[in-house]
Amino acid sequence: MILDAAAKALGVELVYVDQNHISEKVTASMETLAAAGCDGVIICNSSSAEMTSVINTANENKIYVAQFFRSINKESNPNEYQLAVSSPYYVGTVHEDEVDNGYQLAQVLAEKGYRKIALMGWEPGDATFLARWEGYKKGVEGWNKEHPNDLVELLEPQYGGTTSDTGRATAEAILSSNPDADALIVAGGGGDPLIGAIQAIEGLGKTGQIGVASTDFLHDLDVQLQKGAITVESGGHFADPLFAFMMVYNAVRGKYEVPTDGFYEIVFPYIFVSSSEDYANFQKYFIDELPYNEEEMKAMADYSFDQLKETAAKLSIEEVMQRHSEK
């Protein structure tokens, strides 16, 4: 929705390819878009290893590319990172601080009294999951350091794919194997695995007893919060692609010169909700209305990169409420 609105405001034609986070499809999708004659691509890859092929395709076809919801870790993927740095067509990345995201979710569960936390990822090796997992571990380690007589245990992850059916089956298996687990982190995967996990917990008759933390807002998050099916959730970050779009749009226009010794990077803020009131405001200002209107998107397209980065950093429910109430 937000990309379509931006494209309409700026007269840009969009082509979508869904690659289901399958490595072969991720790299093939870049080739498909290159063959379609696209000037630029924004991509949500699965693993950072795929970016070698993506960036090489961009270089070969002189197509600008930026990532959203993802970044290449310099330490874990040094070759891919260096390729991104040196490419004249890799514009950059828009992503969250996933380690901090995981840390905060684990801390909330600990503060609410949960002591044995199970973990469900979606695909082994996914760059975003690995960063969130690092955060969950840091959150638990931080709690345990501060509370040596009240320890929290974080179980090793099991993987629930990206559908509600696989999410439900995996959650059932996790909780059957760990009947004393009192919380479950559903790391993400687009929301559907969380739906399945909620169904699994309900089937066990433990809704409201097992704390649930996740990332990626559900369409009925307010209902799930009310009935205690979800304890805390982070999300609301669907504007990431908008800022990646603006970066590529300006690279294509020649306004953002792409360096060959670095790239552009925007760290985007998550929105955290743990009450129905929180979600009601999110629903009004992010779903019923987009957080940016046509006039604001047209203005954003002419921002310098520093202005664009500053705009992204301050996005929140409160910021949109204030901005749109002033008009």
Side-chain angles (χ1 to χ4, degrees):
M1 286 173 60
I2 201 164
L3 287 176
D4 286 346
K8 182 180 178 182
L10 300 173
V12 173
E13 180 185 355
L14 294 181
V15 178
Y16 291 99
V17 177
D18 188 354
Q19 24 79 342
N20 297 113
H21 296 300
I22 298 169
S23 289
E24 295 79 9
K25 290 187 177 181
V26 172
T27 53
S29 69
M30 184 66 188
E31 294 167 2
T32 298
L33 293 168
C38 291
D39 299 305
V41 173
I42 61 173
I43 189 166
C44 179
N45 57 295
S46 178
S47 74
S48 290
E50 297 155 0
M51 291 307 294
T52 294
S53 175
V54 168
I55 295 171
N56 283 336
T57 300
N59 291 342
E60 290 162 12
N61 292 275
K62 299 182 179 180
I63 296 171
Y64 293 102
V65 63
Q67 295 173 273
F68 64 94
F69 299 148
R70 300 289 188 270
S71 63
I72 303 170
N73 187 289
K74 184 177 181 180
E75 284 71 36
S76 303
N77 297 88
N79 294 333
E80 291 84 354
Y81 185 86
Q82 187 53 46
L83 183 63
V85 165
S86 61
S87 169
Y89 291 97
Y90 178 80
V91 182
T93 174
V94 182
H95 65 98
E96 288 69 31
D97 185 339
E98 295 292 2
V99 175
D100 181 68
N101 174 37
Y103 177 88
Q104 291 198 50
L105 290 176
Q107 284 276 307
V108 169
L109 288 177
E111 288 165 2
K112 289 183 176 291
Y114 299 103
R115 293 296 174 264
K116 186 168 184 178
I117 305 171
L119 174 59
M120 186 168 83
W122 60 98
E123 298 292 346
D126 183 278
T128 295
F129 170 70
L130 292 175
R132 289 179 188 169
W133 186 16
E134 181 184 344
Y136 307 142
K137 289 186 284 190
K138 285 188 173 181
V140 169
E141 289 165 2
W143 174 271
N144 289 343
K145 185 176 180 180
E146 295 291 326
H147 306 85
N149 297 318
D150 186 19
L151 300 179
V152 173
E153 179 183 2
L154 177 67
L155 302 179
E156 290 293 306
Q158 304 296 315
Y159 296 94
T162 56
T163 71
S164 57
D165 288 342
T166 54
R168 178 170 186 165
T170 303
E172 287 174 347
I174 291 172
L175 296 173
S176 295
S177 301
N178 302 277
D180 56 341
D182 59 2
L184 174 66
I185 295 175
V186 182
D192 286 341
L194 174 59
I195 292 171
I198 289 170
Q199 292 170 345
I201 292 170
E202 186 175 4
L204 295 170
K206 292 189 174 182
T207 299
Q209 298 174 37
I210 293 180
V212 176
S214 188
T215 297
D216 292 330
F217 284 179
L218 298 182
H219 69 281
D220 63 344
L221 178 54
D222 53 339
V223 174
Q224 303 298 346
L225 287 163
Q226 284 175 357
K227 68 180 187 181
I230 291 178
T231 308
V232 59
E233 188 156 16
S234 59
H237 55 306
F238 66 81
D240 283 49
L242 172 65
F243 287 89
F245 170 93
M246 291 295 179
M247 285 162 53
V248 169
Y249 174 74
N250 277 306
V252 171
R253 290 203 298 166
K255 186 174 179 183
Y256 289 5
E257 183 178 347
V258 180
T260 53
D261 59 353
F263 51 78
Y264 297 102
E265 182 176 22
I266 291 176
V267 179
F268 205 77
Y270 268 115
I271 293 170
F272 290 81
V273 299
S274 57
S275 71
S276 297
E277 182 183 358
D278 288 345
Y279 188 78
N281 286 327
F282 176 78
Q283 174 76 35
K284 176 174 173 55
Y285 291 98
F286 282 72
I287 305 299
D288 297 340
E289 308 168 14
L290 290 175
Y292 300 103
N293 59 34
E294 182 176 351
E295 178 185 333
E296 289 167 332
M297 288 181 181
K298 286 181 177 178
M300 193 184 299
D302 286 324
Y303 285 174
S304 68
F305 175 71
D306 286 342
Q307 289 174 308
L308 190 69
K309 184 175 182 178
E310 181 182 343
T311 299
K314 66 184 181 184
L315 182 63
S316 68
I317 295 173
E318 295 74 16
E319 188 267 338
V320 179
M321 290 171 66
Q322 180 179 355
R323 174 159 40 86
H324 285 188
S325 67
E326 293 172 349
K327 297 189 176 182

